[in-house]
Amino acid sequence: MDISAQKIKELKAFAIKIRIETIKETADLGFGHLGGAMSVVELLAVLYGEVMKIDPKNPDWPDRDWLICSKGHAGPAVYAALALKGYFPLEELSTLNKPGTNLPSHCDRNKTPGIDMTTGSLGQGASLAVGVALGHRLDKRDNYTYLILGDGELQEGQVWEAAMLAAHHGLDRLIAFVDYNKQQLDGYVRDINDPGDISGKFESFGWNAYKADGRDVADILDRIKSAKLAKGKPSVIVLDTIKGQGCTFAEGKLDNHHMTISREQAEEALAVLYKELEEVTGQ
Amino acid sequence: MSIKLAQGGRPDELEMRTCYCNTLMELAARDDRIVVLDADLMKSMGMMPFKLKYPDRAFDVGVQEANMIGVAAGLSATGKVPFAHSFGPFATRRCFDQVFLSAAYARLNVRIVGSDPGITAAYNGGTHMPFEDLGIMRNVPGITIIEPTDAAMLKDIVIQTADLYGVFYIRLLRRNAVRIYEDGSRFEIGKAVPLRDGTDATVFAMGYLVNESLRAADMLAEDGISLRVVNMFTLKPIDKEMIIKCAEETGAIVTAENHSIINGLGSAVAEVLSEHCPVPLRRVGVRDMFGEVGPVDYLAKRFGLTAEDVARNVREAIELKAQRKR
């Protein structure tokens, strides 16, 4: 199926809006896990803007597609996408990490409408996703389970335990994404503990592996469509991303896993993004 | 609660694992939410009949305890009712973060079964001999911790937990327990069960130490000492009212567990007593040691878990009570 130019334009605009809201909510607090939130924005735009079967008015709809963001610290970006889709009011984003909030640093299924799983201790989302996919298969549902992993997260052995089991059960309605932004808290992934050939590793575990440009919504969408055609195996899409991408003061910086954000930095980044949004939407 | 005591105090012909499997198969026949998971111990646990009858609902994940707990939690998020088993140390110590976060913190619905408690790990030795599993799991907010004493209780508890929601740790002897209760007995989770009345002291016992405590009561009766025996099969939530009542009525308490005295039953009872009704307390249990290989009777002596050890501690507690009155 051809993806229309109009749809791509919409997804690009949606990505910019997610980025704007994520920067706003973290800037409101003055600090946050900005780098790894920015690098999954285009993926979230594609998932929530086009791919996922969801009903924001009925977050617990049993036939929905599930998203498990195992790199739970990307929560603020997911919250922005959810609010923009209407799961909860946009104004609620400014409560991020404030006392009594429904939007904690890491994803919590019991607090946030639309968050399908509680995550934050890295690696655990992978096993949870396998369990969810197995549950759907037992119920003979045709919904998909999407899993977002960080590249640093691949250092957790539990990811590979889950990968082995998912392939063993041929979970072809499980699609994982690796946010390959090449950085982790302590530095570059290649310097800390290099995961090496990520696609090759997943392939050797029995998965279909694809690569996509994680900054290009069209490419991401295209690869997801390919992954859905592959039968009998789970699929992984390794997204080539930049930690902090699309955010002037975070992109390409070394210490951007968790960072302080000044009012001026936020305003500068937002000005650039509003201009981009105008260019994309032509308004 | 509707309880009938069995006569004789003899090992049951029915193994606990057979009862576990039979009960789950009964449940599975009428409830398609029931699923079981194991980490390459399905044969050891006697679960092959279940796997043969319900192959789609039996997940042997291989040697992956952490993954097993996460998968169980994920299954429960889709409405399934998972029972996940491994040996006690590997169902707790090995995967504690997964139990804590993926299951409990996420408010999911998982039953974790840890087998071969304490010295019953016998010839598997120190690596497989959990004296700390209860202590580890007690730290999980909202968890329910149960050590079924015999097959009658096990069957009732498994059936009950299938219809409850939350995270459960069921500490399970795989082989033949001494039969304490008649089939059909019904128990209330969180309510301790008095087994024998007595006035001089109370012993709160769990698991393997329940029958040893009954034997201790017999031995002490010959010397005219009246020991009350209470089966504290639920460690969490602990039956505070029963502890306070027995402390007030008998004035001396002993705890008896096939586990470390650190953060197990002894600690739990001590916490209640010291806050509400401080009376002399002695704790029978493993005293900050690792396990080792050997037959169960040898290990019981080695770690001080025999009827004689219970009786000695009861006498000491009663002596402390008498000293206090002087």
Side-chain angles (χ1 to χ4, degrees):
Chain A
M1 189 180 73
D2 284 339
I3 305 159
S4 73
Q6 179 58 29
K7 173 52 73 180
I8 295 306
K9 197 188 266 192
E10 282 171 25
L11 292 177
K12 280 184 179 170
F14 187 34
I16 296 168
K17 286 177 188 168
I18 294 172
R19 187 161 278 124
I20 287 170
E21 294 302 330
T22 307
I23 293 170
K24 276 163 70 180
E25 61 179 327
T26 41
D28 206 63
L29 195 68
F31 54 87
H33 290 111
L34 202 61
M38 290 294 103
S39 52
V40 294
V41 162
E42 275 69 21
L43 170 62
L44 293 171
V46 171
L47 288 173
Y48 283 106
E50 173 66 10
V51 171
M52 281 172 62
K53 188 172 64 171
I54 50 170
D55 178 1
K57 299 294 166 224
N58 185 10
D60 297 327
W61 178 35
D63 288 319
R64 73 188 185 281
D65 290 338
W66 288 49
L67 175 63
I68 296 162
C69 184
S70 190
K71 43 173 286 183
H73 55 279
V78 186
Y79 307 151
L82 292 172
L84 287 162
K85 289 299 289 184
Y87 281 86
F88 50 85
L90 212 51
E91 307 82 72
E92 204 175 326
L93 290 174
S94 65
T95 71
L96 178 76
N97 269 334
K98 291 178 183 164
T101 187
N102 289 320
L103 307 175
S105 255
H106 301 87
C107 298
D108 189 329
R109 63 184 287 273
N110 296 296
K111 291 199 185 297
T112 316
I115 290 292
D116 290 316
M117 195 53 79
T118 299
T119 52
S121 182
L122 294 173
Q124 296 196 23
S127 302
L128 289 160
V130 172
V132 167
L134 285 170
H136 291 151
R137 175 186 280 187
L138 275 178
D139 288 338
K140 300 187 169 41
R141 296 186 197 281
D142 65 358
N143 46 356
Y144 279 84
T145 305
Y146 297 100
L147 167 67
I148 304 178
L149 298 163
D151 49 3
E153 184 175 14
L154 301 182
Q155 292 156 350
E156 287 282 4
Q158 189 175 354
V159 171
W160 303 102
E161 293 187 6
M164 193 185 291
L165 191 68
H168 178 78
H169 285 281
L171 294 175
D172 52 14
R173 291 181 181 278
L174 171 65
I175 299 178
F177 304 92
V178 175
D179 175 18
Y180 187 36
N181 62 31
K182 294 101 186 155
Q183 283 177 255
Q184 60 188 113
L185 194 150
D186 272 344
Y188 291 102
V189 176
R190 65 165 189 269
D191 295 333
I192 306 290
N193 187 357
D194 192 353
D197 177 6
I198 297 171
S199 303
K201 281 192 167 66
F202 273 96
E203 280 169 348
S204 77
F205 272 71
W207 288 53
N208 296 302
Y210 305 87
K211 290 179 184 172
D213 182 343
R215 294 162 298 174
D216 180 346
V217 291
D219 201 31
I220 297 169
L221 185 54
D222 202 38
R223 288 296 171 275
I224 295 174
K225 287 175 189 293
S226 306
K228 284 188 169 187
L229 294 174
K231 296 299 171 199
K233 288 178 175 185
S235 292
V236 64
I237 302 171
V238 180
L239 300 170
D240 186 2
T241 57
I242 300 170
K243 198 156 181 168
Q245 71 193 25
C247 176
T248 48
F249 60 90
E251 180 173 320
K253 301 288 190 302
L254 188 57
D255 290 319
N256 64 5
H257 180 82
H258 186 275
M259 60 197 308
T260 54
I261 302 151
S262 71
R263 183 60 53 195
E264 296 71 36
Q265 283 176 321
E267 279 169 9
E268 182 200 314
L270 290 172
V272 171
L273 289 166
Y274 283 122
K275 192 156 173 287
E276 273 181 31
L277 187 59
E278 272 181 35
E279 286 165 10
V280 170
T281 59
Q283 289 168 7
Chain B
M1 201 146 51
S2 157
I3 290 157
K4 279 191 194 155
L5 295 184
Q7 298 299 313
R10 280 184 295 274
D12 202 333
E13 284 175 18
L14 180 67
E15 283 193 316
M16 294 286 268
R17 58 183 161 188
T18 311
C19 170
Y20 177 74
C21 181
N22 291 346
T23 307
L24 284 173
M25 283 172 62
E26 263 178 51
L27 278 173
R30 61 175 188 258
D31 184 349
D32 60 13
R33 300 172 308 151
I34 303 289
V35 294
V36 303
L37 299 96
D38 210 307
D40 196 33
L41 290 171
M42 231 164 216
K43 284 185 180 168
S44 305
M45 192 55 178
M47 286 297 285
M48 296 316 280
F50 188 107
K51 193 179 181 186
L52 285 171
K53 187 156 185 195
Y54 300 104
D56 295 342
R57 291 154 71 181
F59 300 99
D60 191 339
V61 303
V63 193
Q64 298 190 329
E65 295 78 12
N67 188 36
M68 174 177 74
I69 298 299
V71 170
L75 280 160
S76 84
T78 69
K80 303 292 171 243
V81 176
F83 287 77
H85 164 259
S86 184
F87 286 151
F90 312 132
T92 58
R93 202 170 68 203
R94 177 96 198 190
C95 52
F96 185 64
D97 195 39
Q98 286 74 18
V99 172
F100 196 95
L101 290 176
S102 288
Y105 180 73
R107 303 283 194 278
L108 288 166
N109 185 24
V110 181
R111 286 131 210 79
I112 298 153
V113 179
S115 64
D116 291 12
I119 57 170
T120 69
Y123 294 101
N124 271 331
T127 54
H128 288 53
M129 192 166 289
F131 294 145
E132 69 294 323
D133 55 330
L134 298 173
I136 290 169
M137 299 300 252
R138 267 187 86 210
N139 286 296
V140 178
I143 195 172
T144 301
I145 302 176
I146 300 171
E147 183 167 7
T149 317
D150 68 2
M153 186 190 280
L154 173 61
K155 179 171 183 176
D156 182 47
I157 293 298
V158 168
I159 291 170
Q160 285 193 49
T161 59
D163 284 325
L164 296 170
Y165 191 96
V167 176
F168 298 81
Y169 179 57
I170 301 173
R171 193 181 204 233
L172 188 59
L173 176 71
R174 279 187 295 144
R175 299 182 189 280
N176 313 68
V178 171
R179 182 55 84 110
I180 306 288
Y181 302 103
E182 294 275 5
D183 284 337
S185 292
R186 294 264 300 150
F187 301 86
E188 193 173 333
I189 293 169
K191 293 289 178 201
V193 188
L195 278 169
R196 189 168 306 182
D197 202 8
T199 53
D200 295 326
T202 303
V203 57
F204 292 110
M206 283 183 87
Y208 178 82
L209 267 297
V210 170
N211 191 54
E212 294 303 303
S213 296
L214 288 169
R215 285 182 52 221
D218 289 341
M219 291 158 54
L220 292 164
E222 290 176 13
D223 292 340
I225 295 171
S226 168
L227 177 64
R228 183 179 298 183
V229 180
V230 178
N231 186 356
M232 201 62 113
F233 70 94
T234 311
L235 179 63
K236 192 177 177 187
I238 194 86
D239 189 348
K240 196 167 83 178
E241 288 71 29
M242 180 65 86
I243 295 169
I244 295 169
K245 179 174 181 284
C246 293
E248 286 173 348
E249 290 176 0
T250 67
I253 302 291
V254 173
T255 59
E257 63 197 300
N258 174 18
H259 184 271
S260 172
I261 57 167
I262 296 170
N263 213 11
L265 178 63
S267 290
V269 171
E271 287 158 16
V272 174
L273 289 178
S274 58
E275 282 194 353
H276 298 279
C277 186
V279 298
L281 167 70
R282 301 291 295 172
R283 294 180 291 166
V284 175
V286 178
R287 305 192 85 82
D288 208 20
M289 295 165 79
F290 294 111
E292 62 182 55
V293 288
V296 171
D297 56 353
Y298 160 78
L299 294 167
K301 288 195 184 85
R302 168 88 177 89
F303 293 105
L305 307 177
T306 65
E308 290 74 14
D309 293 302
V310 176
R312 191 184 69 252
N313 278 274
V314 169
R315 289 178 201 277
E316 288 169 4
I318 291 171
E319 175 56 25
L320 285 169
K321 178 170 73 165
Q323 281 174 15
R324 188 180 273 198
K325 281 183 182 162
R326 281 181 209 136

